[in-house]
């Protein structure tokens, strides 16, 4: 029984280098067969094979007798088994071993002939390898290819690596400009020499269905620098710049007509070469008939539609110069990947921009747009979200003018910093404004806020601090609901933590709140804040309060005892106490500088509700104005005071109060026990009354009426000059 011939394949040096597999495995020569060996008898001893004598060819060198022999090449192939050496050094006892093996079956004339035959075959192989050695490329580097072309496997690997790097760069962008810039920087000049990016105008948001025609606007252009020669292959290069000729594209706004060539290309979604007639017409429509951009011939321009989740949102144009090799069909797949990742990134950026806009608008409307300008107090505020990605939160502040030149200062914190927290905060802030308009005491305001929080839900928890400042009495009344205590910076630079009852948070229910009245000297600064300013993962709340007090005191002593620090600069210095790891929550900050109203600038009287009260009010007002040096206002003030006091005396059952305040304006306040507010109306010609408020509205700088728990106050203001 003889062994069956075994065929094998081996690499040939002169194979075509553009083989798609890149491994060059096909050999044109017929397969070699092993020589037939006689099978020894079962009882015949097997003698060891004798090595060849020195100078004779070894059986290992014979490609016809070695199953895994390799041809001699200039460099070993790392993907094939390592070839055996061309010759094996002769052993010292080779002659004796060969003589001892002379009677072994299978050796003799046939083997000698076979050996010489193998030697001839080896020589032929070596000759063929030598002939093709100069033309054979190295598979990893592509050296030896004509025209600087790389092997297909290398080019495919470069494409994959380029697409991976480009998509990562595009994905790093968060907004629209960053994504478009990432697409341009990733493709120029590695993939193309120039790029033009068109986006829909306006860009649709989410599932929003556009109602107008499809209009594309040129968003950005980039190209390689003019002094740099384009390189072949996917290689990194310097940063591209804006070229002069790309700025000559006059058709920056292109309206895509239904059924046009450009519309059909965009509907097809797939990138196309612009050398085809329809694609060339689409390109001409996109660039415009008067465009100064010169396009190269051949497959050197790719038009890639940008399709988002729902619809086409733009187009990208990739161009290569004539000095560079043209695009290949596989480059269409690269352009498709770039267009897909860019379009999806733009879609997400537009959605993120809309969400950020909604969050900003929600937070802006929840917080005061501007702080009021009240008599005897100056205000400043700050708000910082917990992070750029969480722009809304439950912290709020407010300043609400009250009757009698008073002002309510409010700061609160709803649990969490989400859209839900912001919505609850808005409801609580609106409730606080309504309660403040009723001129309720601070503890009563917190009690009603607690009831409102319970109606909103069982888990609606919040802290709040409500303070009312009276510039005439220089006193402040504070009620607290689980909020950090306020700080008071005196004019001399001393800072203290006000001792106010802590109270329970809003939403607990069934808890009584307590108010405390404290001195508020002129020149002092009250600082209200939320716990995000003093509490973090690195420090507890009381440590943060002490650090804030020390910072406030150090800042107050810098300007001296006679000049308190400016409010805006003080707020900035307070926020500087935050370290890099201290921003765990959003922050609301409200600072109030107490200027007060001096007793010499206040005139106060109580009038009985009788017919002589208006005349007495005119005389008292004239005396006060003479004392203040405001005689030029006497006529107007007497007329308006007479009208307001007359209306109050007509309906009041208790004494009427009259107060004049001299600040930057002259303010007059008349109070009575009637809760109904007067309304301005147009009196008819036959009416005997109803013209008092009309005169007040025409002569006064401002006027208004505020309901109190004991009645109402009607007030008006006049300019002093």
């Amino acid at each position: 029984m003889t062994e069956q011939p075994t065929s094998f394949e081996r690499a040939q040096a002169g194979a075509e280098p553009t083989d798609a597999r890149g491994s060059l495995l096909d050999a044109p020569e017929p397969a070699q067969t092993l020589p037939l060996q006689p099978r020894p008898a079962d009882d015949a001893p097997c003698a060891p094979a004798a090595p060849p004598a020195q100078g004779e060819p070894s059986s290992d060198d014979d490609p016809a007798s070695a199953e895994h022999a390799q041809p001699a090449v200039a460099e070993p192939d790392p993907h094939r088994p390592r070839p055996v050496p061309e010759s094996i050094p002769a052993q010292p006892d080779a002659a004796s071993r060969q003589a001892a093996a002379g009677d072994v079956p299978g050796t003799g004339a046939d083997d000698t002939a076979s050996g010489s035959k193998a030697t001839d075959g080896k020589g032929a192989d070596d000759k063929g390898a030598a002939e093709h050695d100069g033309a054979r490329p190295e598979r990893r580097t592509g050296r030896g290819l004509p025209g600087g072309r790389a092997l297909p496997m290398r080019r495919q690997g470069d494409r994959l690596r380029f697409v991976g790097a480009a998509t990562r760069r595009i994905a790093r962008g968060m907004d629209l400009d960053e994504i478009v810039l990432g697409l341009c920087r990733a493709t120029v000049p590695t993939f193309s020499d120039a790029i033009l990016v068109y986006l829909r105008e306006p860009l649709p948001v989410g599932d929003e269905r556009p109602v107008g025609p499809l209009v594309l606007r040129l968003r950005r252009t980039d190209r390689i620098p003019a002094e740099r020669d384009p390189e072949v292959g996917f290689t990194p290069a310097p940063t591209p710049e804006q070229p002069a000729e790309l700025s000559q594209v006059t058709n920056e706004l292109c309206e895509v007509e239904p059924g046009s060539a450009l519309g059909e290309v965009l509907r097809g979604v797939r990138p196309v070469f612009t050398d085809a007639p329809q694609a060339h017409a689409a390109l001409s429509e996109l660039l415009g008939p008067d465009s100064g951009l010169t396009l190269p011939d051949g497959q050197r321009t790719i038009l890639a539609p940008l399709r988002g989740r729902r619809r086409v949102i733009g187009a990208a144009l990739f161009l290569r110069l004539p000095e560079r090799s043209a695009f290949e069909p596989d480059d269409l797949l690269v352009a498709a990947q770039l267009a897909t990742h860019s379009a999806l990134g733009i879609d997400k950026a537009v959605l993120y921009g809309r969400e950020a806009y909604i969050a900003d608008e929600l937070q802006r409307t929840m917080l005061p747009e501007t702080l009021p300008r009240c008599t005897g107090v100056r205000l400043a505020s700050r708000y910082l979200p917990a992070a750029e990605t969480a722009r809304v939160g439950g912290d709020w502040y407010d300043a609400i003018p009250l009757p009698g030149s008073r002002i309510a200062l409010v700061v609160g914190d709803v649990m969490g910093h989400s859209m839900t927290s912001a919505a609850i905060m808005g409801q609580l802030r609106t409730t606080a404004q309504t309660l403040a308009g009723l001129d309720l005491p601070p503890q009563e305001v917190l009690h009603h806020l607690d009831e409102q929080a319970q109606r909103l839900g069982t888990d609606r928890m919040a802290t709040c601090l409500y303070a009312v400042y009276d510039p005439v009495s220089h006193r402040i009344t504070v009620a607290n609901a689980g909020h950090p205590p306020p700080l008071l910076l005196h004019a001399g630079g001393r800072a203290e933590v006000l001792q106010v009852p802590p109270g329970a948070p809003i939403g607990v229910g069934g808890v009584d709140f307590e108010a405390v009245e404290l001195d508020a000297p002129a020149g002092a600064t009250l600082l209200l804040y939320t716990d995000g300013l003093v509490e973090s993962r690195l420090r507890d709340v009381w440590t943060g309060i002490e650090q804030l007090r020390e910072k406030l005191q150090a800042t107050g002593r810098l300007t001296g005892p006679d000049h308190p620090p400016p409010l805006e600069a003080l707020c900035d210095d307070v926020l500087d106490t935050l370290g890099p790891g201290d921003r765990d929550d959003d922050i609301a900050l409200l600072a109030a500088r107490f200027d007060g109203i001096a007793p010499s600038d206040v005139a106060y009287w109580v009038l009985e509700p009788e017919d002589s009260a208006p005349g007495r009010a005119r005389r008292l007002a004239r005396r006060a104005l003479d004392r203040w040096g405001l005689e030029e206002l006497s006529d107007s003030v007497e007329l308006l005071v007479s009208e307001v006091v007359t209306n109050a005396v007509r309906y009041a059952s208790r004494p009427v109060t009259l107060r004049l305040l001299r600040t930057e304006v002259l303010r007059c306040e008349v109070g009575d026990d009637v809760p109904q507010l007067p309304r301005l109306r147009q009196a008819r010609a036959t009416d005997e009354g109803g013209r008092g408020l009309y005169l007040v509205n025409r002569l006064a700088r401002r006027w208004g009426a505020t309901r109190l728990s004991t009645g109402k106050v009607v007030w008006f203001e006049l300019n002093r000059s």
Side-chain angles (χ1 to χ4, degrees), residues 204-513:
V205 180
D207 298 335
E208 194 176 88
R209 183 179 296 275
V211 294
L214 175 58
V215 178
L216 299 180
R217 178 182 292 275
L218 181 62
R219 185 78 182 194
R220 187 176 178 87
T221 62
D222 269 325
R223 64 152 295 165
I224 60 174
E227 64 274 7
R228 180 179 175 274
D229 294 333
E231 296 181 6
V232 179
F234 299 89
T235 56
T239 303
E241 61 182 16
Q242 287 277 24
E245 59 246 34
L246 290 187
S247 61
Q248 297 176 1
V249 179
T250 58
N251 197 21
E252 294 188 358
L253 200 65
C254 172
E255 182 175 348
V256 182
E257 298 292 339
S260 62
L262 181 57
E264 294 300 322
V265 171
L266 295 180
R267 280 183 53 190
V269 178
R270 298 179 181 275
V272 295
F273 292 119
T274 58
D275 56 347
Q278 184 178 9
H280 186 74
L283 182 60
S284 300
E285 181 182 349
L286 180 64
L287 298 179
D290 300 330
S291 175
L293 182 62
T294 302
L295 299 177
D297 298 330
Q299 294 183 350
R300 300 182 181 275
T301 308
I302 296 178
L303 179 59
L306 302 178
R307 179 176 177 83
R309 296 186 306 157
R310 299 283 181 179
R311 55 191 59 85
V312 173
I313 60 175
L317 187 63
F318 305 95
L319 301 96
R320 281 189 180 179
L321 299 176
E323 295 82 5
R324 188 171 179 175
S325 59
F327 288 112
E328 299 178 3
D330 288 343
D331 291 331
L332 293 177
L333 301 178
V334 175
Q337 288 291 327
L338 297 176
T340 300
H341 283 271
S342 301
L344 294 178
I346 291 172
D347 251 0
K348 294 179 181 179
V350 172
L351 284 173
Y352 174 77
R354 173 62 63 88
E355 292 178 357
Y357 171 78
I358 293 174
D360 289 341
E361 286 296 309
L362 176 63
Q363 192 67 49
R364 187 184 63 81
T365 54
M366 293 297 181
L367 297 176
E369 186 174 356
T370 57
L371 293 174
R373 299 184 60 183
C374 300
T375 303
V377 63
R378 287 174 287 171
L379 304 172
S381 63
R382 294 290 187 275
Y383 175 80
L384 294 178
E388 289 297 327
T389 55
R391 304 190 182 189
V392 295
D395 292 12
W396 90 91
Y397 62 89
D398 209 345
I400 308 169
L402 299 178
S405 299
R406 297 171 300 152
I407 185 171
L409 306 174
V410 190
V411 64
D413 183 5
V414 178
M415 181 178 59
H417 42 81
S418 61
M419 300 288 283
T420 303
S421 302
I424 298 173
M425 176 266 288
Q427 295 179 0
L428 293 180
R429 178 173 175 252
T430 302
T431 304
Q433 289 179 334
T434 304
L435 296 173
L438 298 176
D439 196 25
L440 297 178
Q443 64 272 19
E444 290 297 325
V445 172
L446 295 184
H447 175 72
H448 289 290
L449 283 177
D450 180 60
E451 293 180 343
Q452 176 66 15
Q454 294 181 61
R455 285 190 290 268
L456 295 177
T458 57
D459 57 344
R460 308 310 187 192
M461 304 289 292
T463 62
C464 183
L465 191 142
Y466 189 92
V468 176
Y469 170 65
D470 189 348
V472 177
S473 63
H474 297 271
R475 303 283 287 179
I476 183 171
T477 305
V478 184
N480 190 13
H483 202 78
L487 276 72
L488 186 65
L489 176 63
H490 294 269
R494 182 177 63 89
E496 64 172 332
V497 180
L498 296 183
Q499 301 298 321
V500 297
I506 292 175
V508 174
V511 179
D512 292 333
F513 299 97

Side-chain angles (χ1 to χ4, degrees), residues 639-640 642-644 646-647 650 679-699 703:
L639 176 60
L640 298 183
S642 177
E643 292 294 336
V644 175
T646 299
N647 186 72
R650 179 178 301 176
R679 294 285 183 264
L680 179 64
R681 64 185 182 89
Q682 187 69 32
R684 293 174 296 184
T686 57
D687 291 342
E688 296 182 358
R691 295 177 177 85
L693 288 182
Y694 178 77
L695 293 175
V696 173
N697 184 62
R698 292 298 301 269
L699 298 178
W703 76 277

Side-chain angles (χ1 to χ4, degrees), residues 464-678:
C464 183
L465 191 142
Y466 189 92
V468 176
Y469 170 65
D470 189 348
V472 177
S473 63
H474 297 271
R475 303 283 287 179
I476 183 171
T477 305
V478 184
N480 190 13
H483 202 78
L487 276 72
L488 186 65
L489 176 63
H490 294 269
R494 182 177 63 89
E496 64 172 332
V497 180
L498 296 183
Q499 301 298 321
V500 297
I506 292 175
V508 174
V511 179
D512 292 333
F513 299 97
E514 183 180 355
V516 60
E517 189 174 353
L518 304 171
D519 289 331
T525 304
L526 183 69
L527 192 68
L528 307 179
Y529 54 92
T530 56
D531 58 354
L533 182 63
V534 295
E535 185 180 18
S536 69
R537 292 171 295 179
L538 305 178
R539 58 181 179 179
D540 60 90
V541 60
W542 290 108
T543 301
I545 292 176
E546 181 60 24
Q547 293 177 357
L548 179 60
R549 187 194 68 80
E550 294 175 356
K551 178 65 176 180
L552 199 64
Q553 184 167 287
T555 305
R557 290 178 177 176
L558 291 176
T559 56
D562 299 331
H563 299 84
L567 280 181
E568 299 295 337
L570 181 64
C571 292
D572 294 336
D573 290 341
V574 167
L575 294 180
D576 288 341
T577 59
L578 296 172
D582 291 348
R583 286 284 303 279
D584 298 332
D585 198 0
D586 43 345
I587 298 172
L589 178 65
L590 179 63
R593 174 71 46 77
F594 299 144
D595 294 332
I597 300 176
S600 58
D601 294 331
V602 180
Y604 182 79
W605 303 279
V606 177
L607 306 175
E608 294 295 331
E610 54 189 15
D611 294 340
S612 60
R616 185 166 179 259
R618 289 193 296 269
R619 292 191 299 270
L620 294 174
R622 185 184 308 111
R623 293 174 186 174
L625 295 177
D626 293 342
R627 186 172 66 251
W628 291 337
L630 301 176
E631 296 85 355
E632 67 275 7
L633 298 179
S634 297
D635 295 339
S636 300
V637 171
E638 289 184 26
L639 176 60
L640 298 183
V641 166
S642 177
E643 292 294 336
V644 175
V645 171
T646 299
N647 186 72
V649 169
R650 179 178 301 176
Y651 302 102
S653 59
R654 295 181 181 181
V656 177
T657 61
L658 172 63
R659 185 167 71 171
L660 294 179
L661 302 175
R662 184 185 64 168
T663 57
E664 63 273 5
V665 297
L666 180 66
R667 183 183 177 95
C668 177
E669 298 175 352
V670 178
D672 58 59
D673 61 342
V674 180
Q676 287 79 15
L677 299 180

